[in-house]
Structures are given as structure tokens and as C-alpha cells.
Amino acid sequence: MPQEENVPKPEQIPFFQRMLENPFLLLFIGVVMPTVFYILWGIMEIATIPVAE
């Protein structure tokens, strides 16, 4: 029993560290975020075009 008390518990990796170490998640975020921003920017540009008479 005394030997089991000296064994340290495995340290849990923080959520953000696990998230930033996932290359596929970073790739997904790196593709999706610019795409969404450009789409929103395009919609805003189209919405600000004055209506022709």
C-alpha cells in the first residue's frame, strides 16, 4: 500500500493545449474562418451598392 501512495497521478492536459496541438482542427479553422469573413464581406459590399434608377 505505501508504494501506491507515492505514485503521482497523471497530469491532465489543459483543453486549449489539446485543441492547439490538433493539426486537423487548426487546418479546419484556418480554412473556414477566412471563407466566412470573405462571404460576409461580399454580402456587405453587395448590400451597399446603390439601386440603379
Side-chain angles (χ1 to χ4, degrees), residues 41-52:
W41 186 10
I43 290 171
M44 288 171 44
E45 287 290 322
I46 290 172
T48 58
I49 294 175
V51 178

Side-chain angles (χ1 to χ4, degrees), residues 33-43:
M33 291 301 290
T35 303
V36 169
F37 285 135
Y38 278 122
I39 289 173
L40 292 174
W41 186 10
I43 290 171

Side-chain angles (χ1 to χ4, degrees), residues 14-15 20 26 29 31-32 36 50-51:
F15 171 73
L20 291 174
L26 293 176
I29 292 171
V31 170
V32 169
V36 169
V51 178

Side-chain angles (χ1 to χ4, degrees), residues 12-29:
Q12 186 176 3
I13 299 173
F15 171 73
F16 282 109
Q17 182 178 351
R18 285 185 285 142
M19 185 178 75
L20 291 174
E21 288 179 350
N22 186 345
F24 295 109
L25 179 62
L26 293 176
L27 176 65
F28 176 76
I29 292 171

